Amino acid sequence: MEKAKLHAHRISYELQTLDSGNLLNNPYSQFQFWLDEAIKKSHSEANAMSLATSDKKGNTSVRMVLLKEFSEEGFVFFTNYKSNKGEQLKDNPNAALLFFWPELQRQVRIEGTVKKVTSQVSDDYFISRPFDSQIAAITSAQSTVIPDRSFLDNLYNDNKKIFTPKNAKRPRDWGGYTLRAKRIEFWQGRSNRLHDRFLYELRNKNWVIERLAP
């Protein structure tokens, strides 16, 4: 797209407003409220989120993952522990999440620290997955170089012959992480780019709410 067209490409956000009087005191309750609305009104996966990580040297990466559980203990997603994201989280547990719901002109930014969930939590989720997804997790050494697509397809088909829904077990290097939030920001798009932003920050075990300039 030409520069001039990109400069002119914009949407005016005018659907809703966000005020301190509309906010719940607990950010997890507020997140649940917004997530429920996103699930009802979004045409895409409302639980899709960007996960940003970095290594010891400060090299950063970002990718989309799916939120599978959340509570006041944190936000849970699952992946291969030896993937690029897994290696970076091992080096540096600080990470950030971003949810963007364009149909509602909203986003939620979350910053905190990540740790692995228990083996039991990972086992329980793995068992709940469709069999084909279980085989995919068994097959893929995520982020490693492979020769071509046929290599992956052949390995996947071989594993489908080896395993059954009854004996497929979670690979040792696959499981969940919990991001325990320190900061959660709720962003509501407004006209003229004067957006509404409210930050919940954990201070001395209490959530402090502040309005931020857009």
Side-chain angles (χ1 to χ4, degrees):
M1 184 179 291
E2 296 177 7
K3 182 190 298 186
K5 292 182 179 179
L6 284 175
H7 287 178
H9 185 72
R10 63 183 64 246
I11 296 173
S12 181
Y13 298 130
E14 299 177 352
L15 286 180
Q16 300 186 57
T17 64
L18 185 62
D19 191 79
S20 58
N22 306 126
L23 291 171
L24 300 174
N25 291 330
N26 185 294
Y28 293 99
S29 299
Q30 181 66 36
F31 180 81
Q32 181 71 71
F33 178 67
W34 271 23
L35 179 62
D36 289 343
E37 287 199 319
I39 290 172
K40 291 177 183 178
K41 298 182 180 181
S42 177
H43 298 299
S44 57
E45 292 179 295
N47 63 326
M49 57 188 185
S50 299
L51 166 66
T53 59
S54 63
D55 62 19
K56 291 179 180 179
K57 296 181 180 180
N59 299 305
T60 58
S61 298
V62 65
R63 76 290 288 163
M64 300 300 296
V65 296
L66 296 177
L67 176 70
K68 288 301 179 180
E69 301 175 18
F70 86 93
S71 68
E72 295 200 18
E73 294 302 310
F75 298 81
V76 178
F77 60 93
F78 295 85
T79 189
N80 188 304
Y81 290 142
K82 289 190 175 181
S83 64
N84 183 58
K85 70 179 83 65
E87 292 296 331
Q88 289 194 332
L89 289 171
K90 183 170 65 175
D91 286 346
N92 178 4
N94 297 296
L97 303 172
L98 171 66
F99 293 85
F100 178 50
W101 299 308
E103 294 85 357
L104 296 171
Q105 298 175 351
R106 288 174 175 170
Q107 63 179 337
V108 180
R109 298 174 59 236
I110 303 166
E111 299 171 5
T113 56
V114 172
K115 67 176 183 179
K116 290 181 181 179
V117 302
T118 65
S119 295
Q120 187 61 57
V121 170
S122 291
D123 287 341
D124 290 344
Y125 175 67
F126 185 82
I127 292 171
S128 75
R129 302 183 87 203
F131 177 60
D132 287 348
S133 295
Q134 293 176 345
I135 296 300
I138 293 170
T139 298
S140 177
Q142 194 176 95
S143 300
T144 61
V145 176
I146 58 175
D148 51 38
R149 178 71 196 200
S150 62
F151 171 86
L152 187 66
D153 290 338
N154 290 337
L155 186 56
Y156 177 86
N157 291 328
D158 288 343
N159 282 329
K160 286 198 75 171
K161 296 174 183 177
I162 297 171
F163 297 98
T164 70
K166 292 184 178 181
N167 70 8
K169 293 184 179 180
R170 176 180 67 89
R172 182 179 300 178
D173 295 324
W174 189 97
Y177 290 98
T178 299
L179 186 144
R180 189 167 183 82
K182 297 178 181 178
R183 295 161 57 93
I184 304 178
E185 180 192 318
F186 294 86
W187 179 100
Q188 177 68 61
R190 293 289 301 275
S191 60
N192 302 316
R193 297 301 186 259
L194 292 175
H195 312 301
D196 289 324
R197 296 174 61 191
F198 283 92
L199 173 66
Y200 292 72
E201 188 166 28
L202 193 59
R203 301 177 188 169
N204 298 319
K205 299 183 179 180
N206 294 310
W207 289 103
V208 176
I209 305 174
E210 296 175 320
R211 178 186 274 271
L212 304 180

